Amino acid sequence: TVSRFLTTYFGLYRMINALHEGVQTVVDLDTALIDLKKTTTMNSNELSSFYFEANDAAKELGVTTQEIITQAANWSRLGYSDKHGATEMAKLSSQFAQISPGMDVDEATDGLVSAMKAFGIDVDNVLDGVMSKINQVGNTTATTNQEIVQMLARSSSAMAAANNSLEETIAL
């Protein structure tokens, strides 16, 4: 009888805990979407569409939907507030963090935005114009993507002002 009671108790506890986690996930997603709505130029239909795209991207990248939405809000604050810019950059910064050991999404965002702003790279050229170049050097030399991104975050503007290209800056 004691074992039945404990089994029932722990089963009930697990159900309540799962329900609580589900409610917390919904609250976190709602908070992230409200933050995105405050910072973006997207209308309600675009935000609704973005949510489903973010969910698909999160599954594809192995991150949470909340992380994609939060990244989109962060990119929106950095000036990429249209649906295309915020969506693409949220996906790319998450992807870049995933392929770069030791780098978190915020660090990936800092490095990418520094390079984009300093060297005038638009959203559609980030994958081939920045990420691929960093990844190639990080995979073939005695440095990591994280170290390259940290250097870009600190020195992109100065290097661009000295008429150096992104490729030359990464090579240094």
Side-chain angles (χ1 to χ4, degrees):
T1 59
V2 172
S3 65
R4 281 189 207 157
F5 173 75
L6 288 175
T7 302
T8 303
Y9 174 76
F10 284 115
L12 183 60
Y13 176 76
R14 285 187 194 132
M15 285 189 334
I16 291 170
N17 196 31
L19 181 62
H20 181 267
E21 288 177 13
V23 168
Q24 187 60 46
T25 299
V26 170
V27 168
D28 292 343
L29 281 170
D30 188 51
T31 302
L33 281 169
I34 289 169
D35 188 33
L36 180 61
K37 186 176 183 178
K38 290 177 185 176
T39 61
T40 189
T41 60
M42 290 186 237
N43 61 36
S44 295
N45 290 337
E46 289 175 322
L47 282 169
S48 178
S49 171
F50 172 78
Y51 171 78
F52 292 107
E53 290 176 26
N55 193 35
D56 291 341
K59 288 176 188 175
E60 182 181 313
L61 296 170
V63 297
T64 66
T65 304
Q66 179 189 354
E67 288 177 52
I68 297 291
I69 295 169
T70 301
Q71 280 305 305
N74 291 342
W75 280 101
S76 182
R77 278 188 207 88
L78 294 169
Y80 302 91
S81 59
D82 66 320
K83 183 176 185 243
H84 173 70
T87 303
E88 279 305 303
M89 292 314 303
K91 290 177 188 176
L92 290 173
S93 58
S94 294
Q95 180 184 19
F96 195 42
Q98 289 287 326
I99 64 168
S100 302
M103 187 186 317
D104 64 19
V105 179
D106 292 331
E107 207 170 14
T109 300
D110 290 343
L112 291 175
V113 77
S114 295
M116 291 171 70
K117 296 279 186 177
F119 297 102
I121 298 168
D122 66 2
V123 172
D124 295 324
N125 294 322
V126 170
L127 182 60
D128 291 329
V130 181
M131 289 172 48
S132 294
K133 292 173 182 175
I134 293 171
N135 199 43
Q136 181 180 8
V137 172
N139 287 337
T140 58
T141 63
T143 190
T144 65
N145 290 1
Q146 183 179 21
E147 291 169 335
I148 296 167
V149 164
Q150 289 171 347
M151 178 273 303
L152 286 173
R154 288 189 307 267
S155 63
S156 287
S157 295
M159 295 302 283
N163 291 324
N164 290 296
S165 68
L166 176 64
E167 293 81 6
E168 292 168 331
T169 305
I170 292 172
L172 290 172

